[in-house]
Amino acid sequence: MTVDLLSPADRARLEAVFEVRRQWGFLGPGPVTAHVEHALRFVAALPTGSFRAADLGSGAGLPGLVLAVVAPDSEWVLIDSRRKRADALRLA
C-alpha cells in the first residue's frame, strides 16, 4: 500500500466516482480502492511544480483523475475514444 497521498475527503470522492464508473462497466475487476492505489503508484513519475499531462485511453478516469487530485497545480486532459466514456470524464 502506498503512503496516503489523498485526504480522506478526496479519497472518498474519487472512490464514489469510480464506483459509479464500475456500475457503468468502465472499470475492470477488483475493489475500487485497489484501482486508486494502483493509480497512486504513478505519482513518483510526476514532475514537480505545475505541468501539463494527458491520460490517453482514460476510460473510467484512471490514473488521470487520481493524479490530478494529487497534483493540484497540474493541468490534465483525459482522453477516451468512446463518446460515452469521454462524456463521463467531462462530468467527473
Side-chain angles (χ1 to χ4, degrees), residues 36-51:
V36 172
E37 289 300 319
H38 183 264
L40 287 170
R41 292 188 189 114
F42 291 97
V43 170
L46 296 178
T48 58
S50 64
F51 60 91

Side-chain angles (χ1 to χ4, degrees), residues 13-50:
R13 236 183 333 264
L14 284 167
E15 288 178 359
V17 166
F18 296 134
E19 191 54 50
V20 170
R21 299 315 185 259
R22 171 191 301 293
Q23 294 169 7
W24 292 348
F26 295 180
L27 193 61
V32 169
T33 55
H35 291 283
V36 172
E37 289 300 319
H38 183 264
L40 287 170
R41 292 188 189 114
F42 291 97
V43 170
L46 296 178
T48 58
S50 64

